[in-house]
Amino acid sequence: MLSIFSLESIHAEIEWTLSDDGTLTISGTDMPNYYYRGPWDNEQDNIKKVIIEKGVTNIGDHAFYGFPFLTSVSIPNTVTTIGDHAFRNCPSLSSVSIGNSVTSIGDDAFNGCSSLTSISIPNSVVSIGNAAFISCI
């Protein structure tokens, strides 16, 4: 069974679906900044994997802040910015794939991701914010 959620009434540029296996798929273009409460926060205990589809241009501030069971993230080549605190305090996050168009990783973006064992930062990144990878063992 596939659960489908849409943000069209809140923010017309981003839509998301959450499948029964815990995969959150995000599509659209410009992701807003969320300031601690993303539209999928009520599902955070069910989200294990995030797939951001081609076309999305940025990952908003606090988009996935504090997701306890998130283990992997796939960021496509269309994304240029990973916002402040985007994946902060995701203790199960172990693998991140970052596309070659990302130029900026925000402050505290992966702070507290204590299980992070695999991340490849492409040459396109010219700015990494303060404490972006602090507490990543």
Side-chain angles (χ1 to χ4, degrees), residues 75-95:
I75 302 170
N77 288 336
T78 56
V79 171
T80 60
T81 304
I82 299 172
D84 295 344
H85 311 279
F87 298 96
R88 184 175 181 170
N89 291 338
C90 293
S92 300
L93 184 60
S94 60
S95 176

Side-chain angles (χ1 to χ4, degrees), residues 3-18 27 39-40:
S3 302
I4 298 178
F5 301 90
S6 174
L7 297 179
E8 291 185 64
S9 63
I10 298 170
H11 195 275
E13 297 174 8
I14 291 291
E15 293 183 5
W16 59 282
T17 59
L18 179 60
S27 61
W40 36 74

Side-chain angles (χ1 to χ4, degrees), residues 7-118:
L7 297 179
E8 291 185 64
S9 63
I10 298 170
H11 195 275
E13 297 174 8
I14 291 291
E15 293 183 5
W16 59 282
T17 59
L18 179 60
S19 65
D20 287 341
D21 70 355
T23 300
L24 176 68
T25 303
I26 298 172
S27 61
T29 55
D30 184 37
M31 184 185 295
N33 294 323
Y34 294 111
Y35 304 104
Y36 299 102
R37 293 293 300 167
W40 36 74
D41 272 9
N42 289 338
E43 297 292 333
Q44 70 179 359
D45 287 348
N46 300 318
I47 297 171
K48 297 178 179 96
K49 180 178 183 180
V50 171
I51 297 174
I52 300 170
E53 293 188 334
K54 289 181 180 178
V56 176
T57 58
N58 64 297
I59 299 172
D61 293 352
H62 302 97
F64 307 99
Y65 187 107
F67 281 46
F69 305 110
L70 177 62
T71 60
S72 69
V73 176
S74 178
I75 302 170
N77 288 336
T78 56
V79 171
T80 60
T81 304
I82 299 172
D84 295 344
H85 311 279
F87 298 96
R88 184 175 181 170
N89 291 338
C90 293
S92 300
L93 184 60
S94 60
S95 176
V96 178
S97 171
I98 299 177
N100 291 327
S101 295
V102 171
T103 59
S104 175
I105 298 173
D107 293 344
D108 295 300
F110 296 95
N111 180 341
C113 296
S114 55
S115 296
L116 190 60
T117 58
S118 175

